[in-house]
Amino acid sequence: MSRWLDDPLLSVEGLTMRFGGLTAVSDFHMRVGRGDITALIGPNGAGKTTVFNCITGFYKPTQGRLALAHADAASTHDVDALTRSGRRFASMGGRDLFLLERMADYEIAARARVARTFQNIRLFAGMTVLENLIVAQHNALMRASGLTFFGLLNTPGHQRAEAAAVARAVGWLERINLIGRADDPAGALPYGDQRRLEIARAMCVDPVLLCLDEPAAGLNPRESAQLTALLRSIRDHDGVSVLLIEHDMSVVMQVSDHVVVLDYGRKIADGAPQEVREDPRVIAAYLGVDDEAEVIAAESEIARLAGEAP
Amino acid sequence: MAAPTAPPRSRLQTALGDAGFAALVTFGLSFPLLAFRTEQDMQNRLVVEPRWSWSLAAVLAIFCARLLAGLIQDWRARALAIPGALVAIYGGSLALGPSFSAGALTACAGLVLLALAFPLDARLRQAPAPAARSEGSDRSRLFALGGVLALFLFPFVMLTLLGPAGSLKWINNYGVQILIYVMLGWGLNIVVGLAGLLDLGYVAFYAVGAYSYALLSTTFGISFWLCLPLAGILAAFWGVILGFPVLRLRGDYLAIVTMAFGEIIRIVLINWTDFSNGYAGISSIPRVTFFGVPFTANEDGFAALFGLEFTPIHRTIFLYFLILCLALLTNAVTLRLRRLPIGRAWEALREDEIACRSLGVNTVNTKLTAFALGAMFGGFAGAFFAVRQNFVSPESFTFIESATILAIVVLGGMGSQVGVALAAVAMIGGTEILRELDFLKHIFGGSFDPAQYRMLIFGLAMVVMMIWKPRGLISTRAPSIFLKHKRAVAGSLVREGHG
Ligand SMILES: Nc1ncnc2c1ncn2[C@@H]1O[C@H](COP(=O)(O)OP(=O)(O)OP(=O)(O)O)[C@@H](O)[C@H]1O
Ligand SMILES: [Mg+2]
């Protein structure tokens, strides 16, 4: 049942990230199962976004190894061999293997095919909804336009590629119910639509792993339900693994196959949603106290106050 | 039972039919117009002299042209076929006349070009129907076409209205001067308006282009037409050189380093006297020729060749067309690039660099191509400047030039081609017009010199302009592609980049 152990798409080993004296993430291990929706949760400032930024190359980790294997899981032997070779990625035994901590951010998106969204939405506000989705297909279009030379001549090959990119964008706009607003600037959309558009834009990169940083933040219950359905269809229909950071527990418990909990930069729980929900350390972390004894003390204090009140 | 339908005529048949008809019409027309000529003979009598060969040539030419047009339908293939045919004809006439081998070779080259047009046409015609469109509306196209036509007619209109002496000022001080700045504005617009990289040292590339032509032509005697692309390439190279150190810089830092780059180039030109002759500059740079024919009063000059009376305005008009074509080239390339992945990546970079990288856009390459292309057009303009002035010195490439070009881009509305052109007309034309405020002497007295208040008035106008339209003359952004409706994006949503 635990696919993240049998067939991990991404394995994070010993990830540590320090900012000067502050250790935002320390010795963090996790695996993202192929075809799973994995949730990364934790209180504010726990270091979740920092983990995302390390995976997607926006931060260079102080320490640690992040190995991503396309197609099927890489053996430890292969990963060690690649690590020793000093290269960033390689095709080993027919599998493409990537060491993300060595790669630049744009390479991780373009080659390792990890796409992401941001906690504070980063759409191209002054470009239209359609243009946002076309820019996401930049590398495929760049190849088809012969690094711009064929594009300048407007050859049929380039035209076909552009038509295909538009078709893909239109397909996504229909899925997220934004087809009617294709020609509107992205910055003019309501907040919930912007969130969905950012997900669609990341999907247009054609990723194997989609990282979503708080996709449900600021959504109303109806939009949250739509989001849950969208995430499921991305997993089941597109076969893309999803890693998501989320504070909305109802969304997390509904969609995720696997939950990892971070607190003060350390992993405190890792397992199926049911197990994690009942883990006392997780409860303690969410109530904002350090250990179990204090949880019990706090709960009895609450009970006492409740008894006194009437 | 269905009635048997005639099999569809093949392309060749249709084209041959059309061409035959056109040839017939030409024959009918040329018969009275070309085929006979009346001349007075020795006894002052009119005699009819038949010129069947003229008529035959016209018929043949029309037949061939119509046949080619029928067979080659895509405009890009035609763009290849027309020079091919012209080169072939030129080569053929050369082979029959002065030099057989060179002519035959030229003719072969032309025929090869012509032959290539056919498969190209076939490939281009099977292009798929576009799912989304990117071109402008018919009205805006008509407007642009009208504008270009007016620009091409401008010197002739001036010439007929004011005569050679009177029109010189208009064609040179207004026409050529404004067009140089339109071109520079369009070049810088790629860097500042599209990619959102604030560049305060654009004049460096203008200088590189100017000195490229000046040095290559005076030391190696290379012709202008060869120097022009070389100047562009050299400037693009320096654009990349500037691009590397500023890749990670943003905002004020980017502005300061680019400004310093502009100053470095100028100071090197001043101090490296062996190379650039320092303050004295480079003089007697070869003047522009009409594809090899000089604009002189000699009998092998332009005027004599075309049977015109010599006046210096011919050169000015040629320079005007030259810079007009260069500017239109800059515009065409920029408009096309905006609709290609690279152009969309520039604009995305201006909107949000981090998001670009998260989508796999190589921002280093994207920035460098923006710098290189912007610099290349600056280099072209520089080479033009050198051939126009036939003198260059570091004085022409001071910081105020960079500031003027940047002001044109900002005033125009960053990213808008039309806006930049309008701003160049307003700024350069405006400063020129302010020279002519002599009537103010009647108001303020004879000792008042309006020329001295030129910059003051101009500065005030700029301030008013920026209060009235803070985002420039054309603040909206036209989308590069659309599904159903082309709606301009409001300026308030468009970011200005990290410049
Ligand atoms: N670039 C940085 N420089 C310095 N400190 C940073 C940086 N990025 C994150 N931090 C610190 O690392 C810690 C973890 O931050 P992070 O953004 O990863 O938290 P988070 O779990 O995403 O929180 P939230 O739920 O509020 O988004 C915080 O203390 C933050 O201040
Ligand atoms: Mg966060």
Side-chain angles (χ1 to χ4, degrees):
Chain A
M1 214 10 245
S2 48
R3 193 161 19 185
W4 57 93
L5 295 179
D6 305 335
D7 183 14
L9 170 68
L10 169 72
S11 48
V12 177
E13 295 162 274
L15 174 67
T16 300
M17 183 76 221
R18 284 194 203 97
F19 298 107
L22 178 97
T23 306
V25 177
S26 62
D27 196 30
F28 175 71
H29 292 256
M30 85 174 278
R31 287 175 169 207
V32 177
R34 195 179 308 277
D36 273 351
I37 295 182
T38 309
L40 182 62
I41 64 170
N44 287 112
K48 307 180 294 293
T49 301
T50 306
V51 170
F52 257 43
N53 283 338
C54 291
I55 292 174
T56 49
F58 284 86
Y59 291 160
K60 278 268 157 283
T62 317
Q63 257 168 38
R65 182 163 72 179
L66 302 106
L68 181 105
H70 286 175
D72 61 296
S75 66
T76 12
H77 176 262
D78 282 350
V79 177
D80 287 340
L82 178 58
T83 311
R84 274 194 307 277
S85 77
R87 284 188 294 168
R88 290 168 300 160
F89 48 82
S91 187
M92 294 189 137
R95 286 186 283 266
D96 289 329
L97 194 57
F98 302 87
L99 290 180
L100 303 186
E101 77 278 8
R102 294 179 181 176
M103 294 169 70
D105 41 20
Y106 76 90
E107 266 184 331
I108 291 179
R111 287 176 183 270
R113 291 164 67 197
V114 178
R116 71 170 291 178
T117 65
F118 296 87
Q119 190 165 350
N120 40 0
I121 303 174
R122 282 183 174 275
L123 286 172
F124 304 123
M127 299 175 88
T128 65
V129 168
L130 180 66
E131 283 179 310
N132 268 270
L133 299 187
I134 301 284
V135 171
Q137 303 174 55
H138 175 79
N139 287 307
L141 283 172
M142 204 66 181
R143 273 191 296 277
S145 74
L147 301 176
T148 309
F149 295 109
F150 295 158
L152 276 176
L153 294 172
N154 205 7
T155 59
H158 164 75
Q159 285 177 31
R160 266 194 295 274
E162 179 151 291
V166 170
R168 189 189 187 108
V170 167
W172 271 103
L173 290 176
E174 275 161 358
R175 273 175 82 174
I176 61 170
N177 275 328
L178 280 181
I179 189 72
R181 307 210 59 179
D183 298 325
D184 289 342
L189 296 182
Y191 191 80
D193 290 351
Q194 292 199 9
R195 282 252 174 244
R196 269 181 295 142
L197 178 60
E198 205 190 11
I199 296 174
R201 188 182 68 177
M203 283 303 294
C204 281
V205 176
D206 192 21
V208 294
L209 177 64
L210 177 66
C211 300
L212 306 175
D213 199 342
E214 305 201 14
L219 299 191
N220 62 34
R222 199 174 56 84
E223 288 173 328
S224 286
Q226 282 178 348
L227 176 77
T228 332
L230 178 65
L231 294 185
R232 286 213 182 95
S233 89
I234 286 174
R235 176 188 61 187
D236 301 332
H237 178 261
D238 302 279
V240 171
S241 315
V242 179
L243 175 61
L244 95 150
I245 295 177
E246 193 45 74
H247 280 299
D248 184 338
M249 279 307 134
S250 67
V251 171
V252 170
M253 292 301 153
Q254 272 176 51
V255 297
S256 41
D257 304 296
H258 173 202
V259 179
V260 176
V261 190
L262 258 183
D263 191 19
Y264 292 112
R266 291 176 186 281
K267 185 166 84 174
I268 57 169
D270 185 340
Q274 286 311 317
E275 303 167 32
V276 168
R277 181 155 55 178
E278 281 143 26
D279 192 313
R281 277 177 302 175
V282 177
I283 298 169
Y286 269 85
L287 283 176
V289 285
D290 287 332
D291 61 306
E292 224 171 317
E294 280 184 56
V295 176
I296 295 161
E299 276 171 350
S300 58
E301 177 74 5
I302 292 167
R304 191 179 59 79
L305 288 172
E308 273 176 9
Chain B
M1 220 182 84
T5 49
R9 292 204 300 159
S10 77
R11 291 176 73 68
L12 186 64
Q13 281 172 320
T14 322
L16 275 173
D18 281 354
F21 181 70
L24 211 65
V25 171
T26 316
F27 179 70
L29 283 175
S30 70
F31 191 73
L33 292 177
L34 289 176
F36 299 106
R37 183 184 156 89
T38 54
E39 231 165 79
Q40 285 178 328
D41 69 0
M42 293 301 195
Q43 285 93 37
N44 261 358
R45 285 175 310 181
L46 276 184
V47 289
V48 175
E49 188 198 333
R51 292 192 305 190
W52 292 109
S53 60
W54 282 49
S55 182
L56 189 69
V59 169
L60 261 179
I62 293 292
F63 181 80
C64 292
R66 191 71 195 93
L67 188 65
L68 275 181
L71 289 177
I72 302 176
Q73 280 174 345
D74 192 273
W75 65 270
R76 287 156 292 182
R78 280 184 185 170
L80 188 68
I82 292 168
L86 290 179
V87 169
I89 292 168
Y90 174 71
S93 62
L94 211 62
L96 295 179
S99 148
F100 178 76
S101 53
L105 219 63
T106 318
C108 281
L111 287 177
V112 167
L113 274 186
L114 194 59
L116 281 177
F118 288 96
L120 180 71
D121 182 57
R123 278 203 57 193
L124 290 171
R125 253 186 294 112
Q126 1 161 306
R133 286 166 303 147
S134 50
E135 79 278 8
S137 66
D138 287 344
R139 236 183 70 210
S140 67
R141 278 188 161 191
L142 214 64
F143 184 74
L145 208 70
V148 170
L149 205 68
L151 283 174
F152 271 100
L153 291 179
F154 170 76
F156 300 114
V157 171
M158 283 298 156
L159 205 57
T160 37
L161 285 182
L162 303 169
S167 60
L168 182 69
K169 182 185 87 182
W170 286 95
I171 298 173
N172 195 31
N173 294 16
Y174 287 86
V176 177
Q177 188 73 5
I178 290 175
L179 281 172
I180 288 182
Y181 281 89
V182 169
M183 174 157 181
L184 288 169
W186 277 341
L188 184 61
N189 196 27
I190 294 177
V191 185
V192 179
L194 295 183
L197 302 160
L198 187 57
D199 184 350
L200 279 180
Y202 192 63
V203 77
F205 309 121
Y206 191 37
V208 168
Y211 271 85
S212 297
Y213 175 59
L215 289 171
L216 287 172
S217 63
T218 50
T219 42
F220 301 108
I222 302 177
S223 84
F224 174 73
W225 294 105
L226 210 59
C227 281
L228 187 66
L230 284 177
I233 291 169
L234 282 171
F237 170 75
W238 282 100
V240 174
I241 298 278
L242 166 68
F244 268 114
V246 302
L247 278 175
R248 290 172 179 282
L249 301 182
R250 288 160 171 262
D252 311 349
Y253 301 99
L254 179 64
I256 290 167
V257 174
T258 51
M259 187 174 143
F261 181 78
E263 287 299 289
I264 289 169
I265 294 270
R266 189 173 66 90
I267 288 168
V268 166
L269 289 176
I270 290 173
N271 290 311
W272 192 3
T273 24
D274 297 340
F275 174 72
S276 64
N277 205 21
Y279 271 119
I282 298 168
S283 50
S284 59
I285 300 170
R287 285 177 183 278
V288 74
T289 59
F290 183 80
F291 306 102
V293 182
F295 289 93
T296 49
N298 308 356
E299 53 205 37
D300 54 355
F302 173 84
L305 188 73
F306 287 87
L308 302 167
E309 199 184 322
F310 173 79
T311 103
I313 194 95
H314 291 154
R315 181 192 295 126
T316 313
I317 292 180
F318 183 68
L319 284 173
Y320 173 88
F321 282 123
L322 185 56
I323 187 68
L324 181 59
C325 290
L326 284 174
L328 288 178
L329 176 80
T330 313
N331 183 43
V333 171
T334 311
L335 286 181
R336 183 80 200 120
L337 285 175
R338 265 200 78 206
R339 291 171 194 156
L340 292 179
I342 185 70
R344 297 208 180 99
W346 287 338
E347 292 202 77
L349 189 72
R350 176 194 67 204
E351 295 288 318
D352 195 325
E353 184 176 347
I354 304 253
C356 268
R357 296 210 298 250
S358 83
L359 299 174
V361 176
N362 184 337
T363 48
V364 170
N365 290 355
T366 309
K367 283 184 188 179
L368 289 182
T369 46
F371 272 120
L373 267 150
M376 184 180 84
F377 290 121
F380 287 157
F384 175 82
F385 174 81
V387 82
R388 176 198 185 208
Q389 306 295 90
N390 62 318
F391 167 71
V392 291
S393 82
E395 301 291 276
S396 309
F397 308 107
T398 50
F399 172 68
I400 189 74
E401 290 294 313
S402 291
T404 309
I405 304 164
L406 186 67
I408 287 173
V409 174
V410 173
L411 190 70
M414 305 220 288
S416 162
Q417 297 289 101
V418 178
V420 168
L422 291 179
V425 172
M427 283 206 44
I428 307 303
T431 39
E432 287 297 320
I433 280 187
L434 286 175
R435 286 184 205 279
E436 311 188 6
L437 293 180
D438 277 346
F439 70 90
L440 287 177
K441 281 192 175 154
H442 300 302
I443 306 171
F444 295 104
S447 59
F448 178 79
D449 181 7
Q452 293 189 339
Y453 292 85
R454 207 160 63 99
M455 281 299 153
L456 184 70
I457 297 172
F458 192 73
L460 273 177
M462 285 281 284
V463 171
V464 170
M465 183 62 219
M466 281 289 127
I467 292 170
W468 174 51
K469 272 194 173 283
R471 297 188 67 99
L473 290 172
I474 298 195
S475 56
T476 57
R477 170 181 176 270
S480 65
I481 190 168
F482 61 97
L483 269 190
K484 293 200 176 62
H485 310 285
K486 184 168 186 163
R487 279 191 288 257
V489 176
S492 56
L493 289 171
V494 182
R495 308 228 167 94
E496 281 151 1
H498 33 254

